[in-house]
Amino acid sequence: MHGEHTGERSTDAASVIDVDELPDGLVVTDGDGHVLTVNRAAARLTGVTREQAVGGHLRDVFSFRDHDGRDWWKWLDTYGGLPSRARQPELPLRTPGGQELLVAARLVREPRRGGEVVRVVITLRDAGARARLERSRADLVSTVAHELRSPLTSVKGFTATLLAKWTRFTDDQKLVMLETVNADADRVTRLITELLDVSRIESGRLEIHRQVVDVPARISKIIAGRVAAGEPEDRFVLQVRGELPETWLDQDKIDQVLANLMENAVRHGRGTVTIVVEPSEWGVTVSVRDQGEGIPPELVTRVFRQFWRGNARRRGGTGLGLFIVKGLIEAHGGTISVQRGPEGGAEFRFMVPTGTPEFA
């Protein structure tokens, strides 16, 4: 009985969903093509309000046409074709104003199998978003090919030389060549790791495994590692302000965020890198500041995009790091921003909400 009651509630809830809550545009017509309803997203995409559309015929109100100029409604031909036909696959169409949309349709029949078309449910999406995604993927492929070519050429060249002329080199020469191969192999591994992170972020498959994390302790460990690798000890300053709440975070991913922001401050900034950790209304806020030139206001919106590399004269890496940082922070339910720091450099500030064992 309980299961049946739950099912009834789910059906009732689904039947009262407001079409304006849908993320994609929605237009519903009767079988003849007269518009019954238009949701807010469709009005935004087409520039046609619900009041202007309802009651009019689709070909007059929206006039969707394909790239050859054909009337989409006439092409859809709701009364033609097989009586089992139930949908029109998504196609790129244009409005009279030149807006390109991705349009799909479902034909609702009564009776369901073989009946007449009584309604047509049409979904609309912005084709520009898909085009930007495709350009981004093309850029990603191009970048990967470029970034892989150099280390793989090095690895192949040195290993082939060592195999062919092993006895001609001294031990010191062999060591230098093998160290170069090892460093280039690490570079390829880092790139592959970044690409996997990008893929998980874009597909929404990033998993967060929460545990209690001492954020200042993680920062201290990363600083110690950089100092051990040769950075001056006074290059980094950690400031902890106030009593911090308990935070449940994915330790590996927060380490990745912190290490990436500190690397970015060292690579693109100058002077002392100051990391400030303090409580906020909803959790813990971490600020990473440098004393460099900062980021011009007109570039702030580009910082967290793929392939942003900051100062072109000192650029390095793939330009994926800050994009990944943003994805990792948002996967924790947090936010990240960049602004001008108190001493003129860039200040990256992120907030992660206070977690509980329930989310672990």
Side-chain angles (χ1 to χ4, degrees), residues 67-242:
H67 289 290
D68 295 325
R70 291 180 295 178
D71 181 344
W72 178 75
W73 179 260
K74 185 176 181 180
W75 182 24
L76 182 62
D77 188 15
T78 56
Y79 293 108
L82 296 173
S84 60
R85 186 166 62 104
R87 69 185 186 91
Q88 170 69 52
E90 189 173 70
L91 295 169
L93 302 177
R94 293 186 182 277
T95 66
Q99 172 80 358
E100 185 169 0
L101 301 174
L102 297 171
V103 181
R106 176 164 292 279
L107 308 179
V108 180
R109 297 177 179 272
E110 289 185 5
R112 184 175 179 181
R113 294 182 181 275
E116 291 189 359
V117 175
V118 294
R119 281 189 311 281
V120 181
V121 180
I122 302 163
T123 59
L124 314 175
R125 294 195 299 140
D126 183 2
R130 174 177 286 188
R132 288 191 295 273
L133 179 59
E134 290 175 350
R135 285 196 301 270
S136 175
R137 288 175 175 169
D139 289 342
L140 186 62
V141 171
S142 176
T143 299
V144 170
H146 175 77
E147 294 291 335
L148 285 176
R149 184 182 295 116
S150 177
L152 289 179
T153 299
S154 170
V155 168
K156 176 61 178 176
F158 279 122
T159 53
T161 300
L162 285 169
L163 287 171
K165 303 176 181 179
W166 179 264
T167 57
R168 299 186 186 183
F169 296 108
T170 66
D171 287 346
D172 288 343
Q173 289 173 323
K174 293 174 184 176
L175 180 61
V176 169
M177 296 170 76
L178 287 173
E179 285 176 340
T180 303
V181 169
N182 186 60
D184 284 332
D186 286 343
R187 181 177 166 190
V188 171
T189 300
R190 285 194 301 271
L191 176 60
I192 292 172
T193 300
E194 286 184 339
L195 293 174
L196 289 173
D197 285 337
V198 169
S199 174
R200 293 186 184 106
I201 289 168
E202 290 189 330
S203 64
R205 293 185 291 107
L206 196 65
E207 295 183 358
I208 300 297
H209 303 286
R210 295 182 187 269
Q211 64 185 82
V212 176
V213 174
D214 184 338
V215 175
R218 305 312 301 173
I219 295 171
S220 296
K221 184 174 182 179
I222 295 170
I223 292 174
R226 295 196 68 97
V227 171
E231 291 281 356
E233 191 169 354
D234 60 357
R235 182 76 191 270
F236 302 94
V237 174
L238 171 60
Q239 299 177 2
V240 181
R241 301 174 180 174

Side-chain angles (χ1 to χ4, degrees), residues 245-259:
E246 185 178 82
T247 51
W248 285 73
L249 309 168
D250 187 311
Q251 181 170 289
D252 291 339
K253 290 179 173 58
I254 288 299
D255 282 354
Q256 186 177 350
V257 167
L258 294 167

Side-chain angles (χ1 to χ4, degrees), residues 220-294:
S220 296
K221 184 174 182 179
I222 295 170
I223 292 174
R226 295 196 68 97
V227 171
E231 291 281 356
E233 191 169 354
D234 60 357
R235 182 76 191 270
F236 302 94
V237 174
L238 171 60
Q239 299 177 2
V240 181
R241 301 174 180 174
E243 184 176 351
L244 302 177
E246 185 178 82
T247 51
W248 285 73
L249 309 168
D250 187 311
Q251 181 170 289
D252 291 339
K253 290 179 173 58
I254 288 299
D255 282 354
Q256 186 177 350
V257 167
L258 294 167
N260 205 309
L261 291 178
M262 281 189 259
E263 170 67 21
N264 186 75
V266 169
R267 178 177 293 171
H268 299 290
R270 288 196 303 268
T272 302
V273 176
T274 304
I275 304 100
V276 180
V277 187
E278 54 194 334
S280 62
E281 184 178 0
W282 302 108
V284 171
T285 298
V286 179
S287 302
V288 180
R289 306 166 179 167
D290 63 62
Q291 297 174 321
E293 300 172 0

